[in-house]
Amino acid sequence: MGQPKSAESRKGETLQLPPGQRLQRGWPVTHYGPVPKFRPERWEFRVFGATADGDKRCWTHEEFTALPYATVTADLHCVTKYSVLGVEWGGVLARTIVELAPPAPAVTHVMVWAEYGYSANLRLADFTDERSIFATHKDGELLTAEHGFPVRLAVPHLYAWKGPKWVRGVEYMTTDRRGFWEERGYHNLGDPWREQRYSYQELPGEGPEL
Ligand SMILES: Nc1nc2c(c(=O)[nH]1)N[C@H]1C(S)=C(S)[C@@H](COP(=O)(O)O)O[C@H]1N2
Ligand SMILES: [Mo]
């Protein structure tokens, strides 16, 4: 079979699949609950919580799609043990959102909110990683509804549950709080290279009280 299958890495060097993961061909759809219907006239992308100026910031769909466009090629690691390699995400870098709607100095974490109350918490440093992106496109094409249209987050260095599909907003937080899966037994940090799958693996300081 020749060379072992390699994964894209942060700086382009070759790495193996994260421990316990298997290569998945194609692109399965994985989520909890129904696929929401997109209603452009009611949709907004909202940044709220501990912003620098205390105001919230909203973008309509039209405004959001006019923000600077970037691409990030990355792998998707689902905690259920499959990995999809070499996905090209296109959209708005999380960094761009943080620049346009800066957090207060005390902000340490964010909660990314999606339709139907799905949420994922992230350390601010993970959110502002150079590869974290609010994707509108995959491999040059608009996302399909089941993959998160109109906007989904990708945080390539964490398990994919940390990347909500159908994102509607970002909450800036001055303490950590668990998101949807983090409250239901998944690890607060979710680094696939450290195999941080379940909350019982958390070390002191890796997450708020359960
Ligand atoms: N809103 C929402 N986003 C979600 C989920 C979900 O249940 N709801 N599941 C996550 C999980 S566990 C994975 S593996 C990825 C899967 O993304 P995909 O279906 O586009 O492959 O979406 C993530 N984003
Ligand atoms: Mo997943």
Side-chain angles (χ1 to χ4, degrees):
M1 292 290 288
Q3 298 281 313
K5 197 69 202 176
S6 66
E8 282 283 321
S9 76
R10 322 200 70 188
K11 299 280 186 232
E13 78 267 38
T14 297
L15 294 172
Q16 306 301 312
L17 279 173
Q21 293 295 109
R22 65 179 166 75
L23 174 65
Q24 172 72 52
R25 301 209 180 269
W27 192 19
V29 171
T30 303
H31 58 262
Y32 177 82
V35 174
K37 183 169 162 47
F38 174 54
R39 293 185 181 82
E41 67 291 347
R42 289 172 52 183
W43 190 94
E44 61 175 14
F45 186 103
R46 193 156 68 104
V47 178
F48 63 103
T51 57
D53 61 8
D55 291 337
K56 55 178 190 269
R57 185 75 204 269
C58 291
W59 287 273
T60 64
H61 186 243
E62 201 183 338
E63 288 165 346
F64 191 87
T65 55
L67 293 175
Y69 187 87
T71 60
V72 171
T73 299
D75 304 331
L76 182 156
H77 307 297
C78 177
V79 71
T80 64
K81 300 198 168 176
Y82 70 82
S83 293
V84 177
L85 303 188
V87 176
E88 189 202 84
W89 301 113
V92 182
L93 294 177
R95 284 192 168 185
T96 302
I97 296 299
V98 167
E99 280 162 24
L100 295 171
V107 170
T108 54
H109 293 79
V110 305
M111 190 73 80
V112 179
W113 288 98
E115 302 285 357
Y116 300 139
Y118 185 89
S119 61
N121 59 317
L122 295 160
R123 296 182 291 200
L124 184 61
D126 289 320
F127 184 66
T128 57
D129 185 275
E130 61 189 356
R131 302 210 306 153
S132 299
I133 184 167
F134 287 104
T136 53
H137 292 70
K138 188 248 183 190
D139 295 326
E141 290 184 18
L142 271 185
L143 287 173
T144 58
E146 54 285 5
H147 284 298
F149 180 82
V151 178
R152 61 101 48 85
L153 180 65
V155 182
H157 67 287
L158 300 179
Y159 284 118
W161 88 75
K162 291 286 193 182
K165 304 194 275 193
W166 315 295
V167 174
R168 292 293 302 275
V170 178
E171 179 184 357
Y172 289 148
M173 308 195 294
T174 55
T175 54
D176 197 6
R177 223 166 67 219
R178 290 175 191 272
F180 183 86
W181 286 121
E182 295 81 3
E183 271 186 337
R184 290 168 175 77
Y186 287 93
H187 198 286
N188 191 54
L189 301 177
D191 179 348
W193 301 98
R194 297 196 168 104
E195 220 174 337
Q196 294 173 331
R197 296 180 191 273
Y198 309 112
S199 54
Y200 65 72
Q201 300 172 296
E202 287 172 19
L203 302 174
E206 289 184 337
E209 297 275 286
L210 263 164

